Amino acid sequence: MQDIDTTLRNWAGNYAYSTQNLHCPDSVAAVQQLVKELPHLRVLGTRHCFNSIADSTEHLVSLQQLNQVISLDAENQTVTVGGGINYGQLCPHLQKNGFALHNLASLPHISIAGACATATHGSGSGNGNLATAVAALEMVVASGEVVTLSREKDGATFRGAVVGLGSAGVVTQLTLDIVPSYSIQQDLYEHLPFTALENRLEAIFSSAYSVSLFTDWKRRTFSQVWLKRRVEAGQQLGMPDDFFGATLATKALHPIGELSAVHCTEQMGVPGPWFERLPHFRMNFTPSSGEELQSEYFVSLDDGYDALLAIDQIRDHIAPHLLISEIRTIDADGFWMSPCYKQPCLAIHFTWQQDWEAVQQVLPLIETQLAPFNARPHWGKVFTMAPERIKLLYKKLPEFRQLLQTYDPGGKFRNAFVDGYIF
């Protein structure tokens, strides 16, 4: 009889957690009890991180049972949710009540608390990352006490805690800004010349509410351009055949050209609700396994074209191990540990074949090419940048350390990742 591997792993399967001690509390009181009892713990979201950021050698906590919509305040345009809810669970509820979020990531299956804690983002030059929707949060700190912080009342502390890397406390509740519901029309173009971005990068990325460029780095072209435009109800925008030298797609496409578009959100200019167009993949398609690795680096938007040129110089090293690369823009924010702290960013994303041995040879080459632009890696994806280098990239790191020591003086929520990259 074959042994069944019951090891606790992340979504992609590339990372095995260091303990099988998984706790699933069903109330804030139960979270408080766990925090008081356990010497060390880390919180798991939907396990979409590709590295050790959420790992623990002792105890892991999942808030999957705290997935309720607690209240919707139509007058103040906010929604309050439990710390275990994901975007796929919240979005239909908002739509039913005539509301929306300002943006969504490419996958809708990720937990809201986890996405905000790691500065996960969607796309759009005018759109801040997903954490910018947070108006208030409730967390259980190391003493077991419940602490509430809000944008309105807690200024600097709030800005430090929102992108908290799971290290200030267990986030049991979030209040998010919402907006009136809106429609999005999604159109794709093919074969955008690399040279089109020279002097026109910002024009290209600000040409729609959300813009993504895809390339496999095999040639100097972007194979696909995804444009997501806001439209009025009942409106459908006509699209020109040409977009900066790219041609309008005549059929639905998957970002990886040879794969079927069946799991992708509807394209071909058919308008639909915001939550069925902003992600690249459908809500009702839950990825069971992502046979892939992911890396992502953020540079200042001003350096965007030069950074892409630098990557283009090593594309022969990248292409053999790559599934697809996505280029997006994100607006600046004020969160201490966000890669977009006080600067609009261009994000260069790599979805790799699941071959860590090969990928870890390529990442230092990418990081060297991007070093002149002070590129910051995504906290939840794979990178090889030295902790000493990362520490230099975050001006508010001393204040963040102090915040963690205030709420967690004994290091209850710390792990090897936090010790290495923060302390």
Side-chain angles (χ1 to χ4, degrees):
M1 188 171 160
Q2 193 177 2
D3 287 339
I4 296 169
D5 182 6
T6 56
T7 308
L8 194 63
R9 293 181 178 273
N10 66 342
W11 165 73
N14 72 294
Y15 191 86
Y17 296 103
S18 304
T19 179
Q20 297 295 98
N21 295 326
L22 178 65
H23 306 266
C24 299
D26 59 2
S27 67
V28 175
V31 173
Q32 290 179 276
Q33 194 61 37
L34 275 174
V35 170
K36 285 175 185 171
E37 286 174 3
L38 303 178
H40 291 99
L41 67 141
R42 290 289 283 176
V43 179
L44 286 178
T46 33
R47 291 189 259 172
H48 274 79
C49 289
F50 290 79
N51 59 25
S52 62
I53 189 170
D55 201 8
S56 170
T57 55
E58 296 183 31
H59 296 275
L60 293 165
V61 174
S62 167
L63 301 183
Q64 61 194 24
Q65 294 194 76
L66 304 185
N67 64 352
Q68 297 80 15
V69 177
I70 295 163
S71 64
L72 194 153
D73 183 340
E75 188 180 342
N76 292 306
Q77 297 203 355
T78 60
V79 65
T80 299
V81 296
I85 198 169
N86 68 40
Y87 287 96
Q89 292 165 324
L90 173 61
C91 292
H93 178 85
L94 290 180
Q95 175 69 10
K96 193 171 72 179
N97 287 279
F99 288 101
L101 295 169
H102 82 287
N103 209 359
L104 292 170
S106 55
L107 276 178
H109 317 95
I110 55 177
S111 80
I112 296 175
C116 294
T118 52
T120 295
H121 59 93
S123 184
S125 294
N127 301 322
N129 67 34
L130 302 183
T132 58
V134 178
L137 62 84
E138 171 193 278
M139 62 183 179
V140 177
V141 298
S143 63
E145 177 194 359
V146 175
V147 169
T148 303
L149 299 172
S150 74
R151 184 196 296 139
E152 196 180 335
K153 294 179 186 157
D154 298 290
T157 308
F158 174 80
R159 292 192 293 276
V162 174
V163 180
L165 312 182
S167 302
V170 181
V171 175
T172 47
Q173 202 167 288
L174 289 158
T175 298
L176 307 174
D177 294 332
I178 53 179
V179 297
S181 180
Y182 54 92
S183 294
I184 292 279
Q185 169 179 326
Q186 181 165 238
D187 295 277
L188 272 60
Y189 285 82
E190 297 186 86
H191 313 302
L192 177 74
F194 191 100
T195 51
L197 272 68
E198 188 176 9
N199 304 321
R200 292 180 291 183
L201 183 141
E202 290 193 39
I204 287 169
F205 278 102
S206 60
S207 63
Y209 188 73
S210 170
V211 177
S212 292
L213 308 187
F214 291 95
T215 180
D216 57 13
W217 293 106
K218 286 178 181 167
R219 51 196 68 81
R220 298 195 89 224
T221 185
F222 294 96
S223 53
Q224 296 175 26
V225 180
W226 290 40
L227 301 179
K228 302 172 194 264
R229 299 169 188 263
R230 283 184 65 154
V231 293
E232 298 301 321
Q235 180 189 26
Q236 184 170 8
L237 299 174
M239 300 298 293
D241 292 335
D242 177 87
F243 177 81
F244 293 93
T247 53
L248 191 62
T250 55
K251 63 175 185 178
L253 300 169
H254 189 286
I256 303 170
E258 54 269 26
L259 297 185
S260 165
V262 66
H263 296 311
C264 296
T265 48
E266 191 156 357
Q267 304 163 18
M268 306 306 293
V270 179
W274 56 283
F275 72 103
E276 293 180 353
R277 296 294 184 276
L278 285 174
H280 298 332
F281 298 98
R282 294 176 189 267
M283 293 275 181
N284 56 5
F285 161 61
T286 304
S288 54
S289 153
E291 288 287 317
E292 62 192 51
L293 298 171
Q294 292 181 13
S295 304
E296 187 169 33
Y297 299 92
F298 299 80
V299 299
S300 165
L301 188 58
D302 291 341
D303 292 327
Y305 183 67
D306 290 335
L308 291 172
L309 280 178
I311 296 298
D312 185 60
Q313 288 169 12
I314 56 167
R315 59 190 160 98
D316 291 347
H317 296 277
I318 293 170
H321 311 293
L322 192 71
L323 292 171
I324 200 67
S325 180
E326 181 179 11
I327 318 299
R328 290 175 285 181
T329 50
I330 311 100
D331 201 5
D333 61 63
F335 300 124
W336 295 351
M337 300 309 292
S338 165
C340 301
Y341 177 71
K342 302 222 166 151
Q343 63 172 19
C345 283
L346 183 89
I348 307 171
H349 188 280
F350 303 90
T351 300
W352 304 102
Q353 296 165 18
Q354 202 179 88
D355 180 355
W356 176 233
E357 202 172 311
V359 171
Q360 69 178 336
Q361 303 297 316
V362 181
L363 293 180
L365 302 178
I366 292 173
E367 289 165 4
T368 298
Q369 290 298 98
L370 294 179
F373 312 108
N374 291 322
R376 300 169 177 181
H378 190 299
W379 288 112
K381 299 184 179 176
V382 291
F383 55 89
T384 57
M385 202 177 285
E388 291 67 33
R389 172 67 180 161
I390 288 177
K391 288 170 188 169
L392 294 174
L393 300 172
Y394 286 89
K395 292 176 190 167
K396 303 294 277 187
L397 184 60
E399 289 92 335
F400 184 64
R401 280 194 200 117
Q402 189 56 53
L403 180 135
L404 297 191
Q405 285 166 333
T406 299
Y407 289 124
D408 182 19
K412 186 183 287 272
F413 302 122
R414 281 161 60 175
N415 63 0
F417 184 99
V418 175
D419 284 340
Y421 292 103
I422 304 304
F423 290 95

